[in-house]
Amino acid sequence: MFDVIIIGAGIVGCFIAKDLSRYDLKVLVLEKGNDVAIGATMANSAIIHSGHDPLDGTLKAKLNLEGNKMYESICKELNCSFNRIGAYVLATSDEEVEQLNLLFKRAQSRDIPCVLHNKDEIKKHEPHVSDEVVLGLWLPSTGIIYPWEVAIACMEQAILHGVELKLNQEVIDIKKEDIYQVITSNNQYQTKCIVNCAGVYADEIYKMIDPSINFSITARKGEYFVLDHLQQPLVHHVIYPVPSSKGKGVLIVPTTHGNTLLGPTSFEIDDKSAINNTHAGLNYVKDQVGKLIDHIPFDKVIRTFAGNRPTGTTHDFIIEEAKLFSDFYNVAAIESPGLASAPAISKMVVSMYVNKHNPEEKKEYVINANHDPKLNELTIEEKNEFVKKNPQYGRMICRCEKITEGEIVDAIHRLCGATTIKGVKKRVRPGMGRCQGGFCEPLVLDILARELHKTEEEILLDDLGSNLLVERTKHDDEES
Ligand SMILES: Cc1cc2nc3c(=O)[nH]c(=O)nc-3n(C[C@H](O)[C@H](O)[C@H](O)COP(=O)(O)OP(=O)(O)OC[C@H]3O[C@@H](n4cnc5c(N)ncnc54)[C@H](O)[C@@H]3O)c2cc1C
């Protein structure tokens, strides 16, 4: 019997797992995928927004502001990337200037650092800004993170402090007796409390016990281009257009690893699992980004991707204990700024639980962050020290991102370790570069097979069924 079952291991479920692990509780995380951070947390703009955009009085506004203030120290503690690079919201017409002034006042009323810059001032900081731009709102508290690094780091702390993570466990039914029975595709668990963090499927999870559910969630797709590392950065800060009723618009975003994201679109779709790119979506991105920034090098695009926002009918986050079902907490409709708000969402949910149940806090609780070496950030002398101790740190696997065999082996054997090629890519980046895995993917596959004691045919690219190799075409006796 568990005290708490968390359904969904996106950034929200991972933060809640970490924060609950401070207490003497038996906590289980059930995730339908074969890794953590596979939903919206996998595919987004990675921005820790300042909190200027959400409407007054919403949970989005409150938790975004709070989350933005929490991230820097959390990332330091977890040894994760966090860069407070600042952002511009750029207006290109009189109408947009009017809206920008309203945004400016809203930001001021929330004590968010903000300044209006004219075109000349903006050009000093962002030389590629289009001549169409007339005014910019400078928001220096905006940051960027590497989202799945944070989610994985949270889950590792949770596991370290006793939380159980079970992957490949799709929750298919929930029954309420004295306690909750949670039925997954291949098992059954009992718990006193459920925290529903199932992203775009959170409405379907709640519907399992309450068919009279008063909210629903649709998926709003966002498509992106990724640019390779450029010799001269295209932009130094996050670039937003003036927001519209559809959201924050199409952005230009530097990433923590020196790439640039162009996107996202914002279109509601019927199939919540569809994360394909479309011709129309990508063309829309091209049109929109060209209005703000000149000379975008589309010949440097190395990848496209898409993610789906869980958009709720209430247009705000839904964070509440269900009225009819005691100890069933919905943490639903966590669309943007869900990433920026995640630590504050977790704090809110955990406070609700702790205030009601008053669990014992663990006497000894130490954050023990992952400090595996990142060779490409070290001096040659430091690298040599690592290679002397372990020659695997001297074998380059990913030439684009400069990732060694030793780092991949570390990623596989971490607490919440990688079991697939995508899992390795998420943790230490082979395949994230210009060749997109063309050179390193077969080598990563071999390393996974060796370290996990599996055959090469069993190694997955990503989710179940994505085996890259089907069968041997030559056997040892034929080869000789
Ligand atoms: C295009 C796009 C851009 C965005 N940009 C930003 C941004 O720049 N800044 C920002 O703050 N926010 C942004 N967001 C929003 C942010 O990504 C989300 O708010 C956040 O990732 C939500 O996290 P989550 O944990 O709630 O959901 P998810 O990450 O979707 O996790 C839900 C998990 O539940 C699991 N699950 C679902 N059903 C079941 C089941 N039946 N059984 C077991 N497990 C289940 C899923 O597999 C998944 O792992 C963006 C989102 C998108 C899509």
Side-chain angles (χ1 to χ4, degrees):
M1 159 86 83
F2 290 91
D3 293 305
V4 182
I5 285 185
I6 299 168
I7 303 173
I11 191 131
V12 173
C14 291
F15 259 112
I16 294 174
K18 171 176 86 67
D19 292 345
L20 279 178
S21 75
R22 290 185 175 274
Y23 298 90
D24 256 328
L25 293 169
K26 213 165 142 36
V27 180
L28 170 67
V29 182
L30 295 174
E31 166 53 53
K32 76 171 176 179
N34 59 0
D35 199 0
V36 305
I38 61 159
T41 304
M42 179 63 214
N44 55 64
S45 308
I47 305 168
I48 304 309
H49 304 290
S50 70
H52 64 284
D53 182 46
L55 296 176
D56 281 335
T58 56
L59 274 177
K60 285 182 181 174
K62 176 180 179 298
L63 298 172
N64 184 166
L65 266 177
E66 218 178 298
N68 179 293
K69 289 183 187 139
M70 295 168 78
Y71 255 105
E72 195 158 357
S73 61
I74 290 175
C75 285
K76 200 165 174 201
E77 198 174 36
L78 295 174
N79 195 29
C80 293
S81 312
F82 175 85
N83 300 344
R84 212 180 271 289
I85 57 172
Y88 270 117
V89 188
L90 299 178
T92 56
S93 66
D94 291 349
E95 217 175 64
E96 287 188 356
V97 166
E98 221 173 280
Q99 290 176 53
L100 198 67
N101 279 314
L102 291 177
L103 268 190
F104 176 51
K105 288 205 180 99
R106 192 187 288 168
Q108 277 183 319
S109 72
R110 293 177 187 169
D111 287 332
I112 296 169
C114 58
V115 191
L116 286 171
H117 283 175
N118 64 22
K119 192 194 307 187
D120 291 343
E121 185 67 24
I122 300 167
K123 286 242 181 202
K124 276 192 223 155
H125 302 282
E126 290 292 2
H128 294 114
V129 153
S130 147
D131 279 339
E132 306 297 309
V133 168
V134 285
L135 192 68
L137 174 60
W138 169 237
L139 297 160
S141 61
T142 308
I144 51 172
I145 58 166
Y146 194 43
W148 49 88
E149 179 187 43
V150 178
I152 293 166
C154 286
M155 187 51 77
E156 286 184 345
Q157 289 315 306
I159 295 171
L160 191 68
H161 294 95
V163 171
E164 282 183 57
L165 167 67
K166 291 196 187 283
L167 300 170
N168 300 312
Q169 296 284 319
E170 178 174 8
V171 174
I172 53 170
D173 203 2
I174 301 173
K175 297 204 186 313
K176 169 81 171 127
E177 291 147 15
D178 285 346
I179 42 130
Y180 291 99
Q181 299 278 351
V182 181
I183 298 129
T184 68
S185 35
N186 46 22
N187 223 322
Q188 192 157 328
Y189 304 93
Q190 297 184 327
T191 181
K192 296 178 199 158
C193 170
I194 291 178
V195 185
N196 170 16
C197 307
V200 283
Y201 299 100
D203 53 345
E204 290 166 39
I205 292 287
Y206 184 51
K207 221 183 278 172
M208 291 174 188
I209 55 157
D210 184 2
S212 67
I213 178 174
N214 60 358
F215 66 89
S216 67
I217 293 174
T218 48
R220 207 157 40 88
K221 189 190 274 188
E223 298 189 45
Y224 295 85
F225 290 104
V226 184
L227 300 185
D228 197 1
H229 309 276
L230 304 172
Q231 285 198 328
Q232 294 297 324
L234 181 64
V235 293
H236 299 85
H237 314 289
V238 174
I239 305 290
Y240 301 99
V242 170
S244 72
S245 57
K246 280 183 145 189
K248 291 178 205 61
V250 179
L251 326 174
I252 299 110
V253 190
T255 72
T256 50
H257 291 83
N259 298 96
T260 310
L261 302 181
L262 309 174
T265 52
S266 176
F267 295 115
E268 287 208 351
I269 53 167
D270 293 332
D271 177 1
K272 291 181 174 186
S273 64
I275 49 165
N276 59 314
N277 281 111
T278 64
H279 189 67
L282 293 175
N283 273 342
Y284 181 77
V285 172
K286 259 189 181 172
D287 280 356
Q288 295 298 308
V289 289
K291 290 181 187 164
L292 298 179
I293 298 291
D294 290 335
H295 311 302
I296 294 179
F298 280 100
D299 60 327
K300 297 288 185 292
V301 168
I302 54 171
R303 192 173 184 88
T304 59
F305 70 91
N308 291 334
R309 307 165 182 88
T311 299
T313 31
T314 64
H315 299 293
D316 197 6
F317 298 155
I318 298 167
I319 304 174
E320 59 188 15
E321 184 177 2
K323 289 194 180 59
L324 300 176
F325 294 90
S326 176
D327 280 318
F328 192 109
Y329 294 86
N330 281 314
V331 189
I334 310 296
E335 59 178 344
S336 185
L339 208 60
S341 311
I345 293 174
S346 172
K347 193 172 151 203
M348 179 176 168
V349 174
V350 172
S351 302
M352 283 157 79
Y353 179 88
V354 168
N355 289 340
K356 184 168 173 188
H357 294 283
N358 215 3
E360 270 302 285
E361 217 168 323
K362 285 177 184 156
K363 294 206 172 48
E364 306 249 313
Y365 188 94
V366 190
I367 292 274
N368 197 349
N370 168 43
H371 283 280
D372 291 341
K374 295 174 183 163
L375 275 279
N376 60 12
E377 293 175 6
L378 303 181
T379 63
I380 189 76
E381 292 76 20
E382 289 166 333
K383 280 181 195 163
N384 284 340
E385 282 306 307
F386 276 105
V387 177
K388 259 190 237 160
K389 281 186 225 149
N390 177 359
Q392 287 181 335
Y393 289 123
R395 184 176 172 228
M396 193 58 73
I397 300 294
C398 170
R399 298 181 225 172
C400 305
E401 298 295 304
K402 314 242 175 326
I403 311 297
T404 65
E405 180 175 17
E407 289 162 274
I408 293 169
V409 172
D410 290 341
I412 295 169
H413 294 299
R414 277 164 62 168
L415 265 187
C416 178
T419 56
T420 64
I421 292 175
K422 176 110 170 253
V424 171
K425 179 175 169 182
K426 268 157 69 175
R427 284 163 180 79
V428 282
R429 294 182 57 81
M432 288 282 186
R434 188 167 314 157
C435 89
Q436 286 292 298
F439 284 101
C440 61
E441 210 163 86
L443 301 175
V444 174
L445 186 145
D446 275 344
I447 297 169
L448 275 162
R450 184 189 73 209
E451 297 297 319
L452 298 175
H453 307 292
K454 289 185 170 180
T455 65
E456 282 121 344
E457 292 89 328
E458 286 175 300
I459 298 302
L460 300 172
L461 176 67
D462 188 2
D463 44 13
L464 290 183
S466 64
N467 308 59
L468 277 185
L469 304 177
V470 181
E471 60 181 334
R472 288 192 176 270
T473 51
K474 276 188 181 168
H475 294 275
D476 289 348
D477 51 344
E478 290 175 66
E479 281 164 8
S480 57

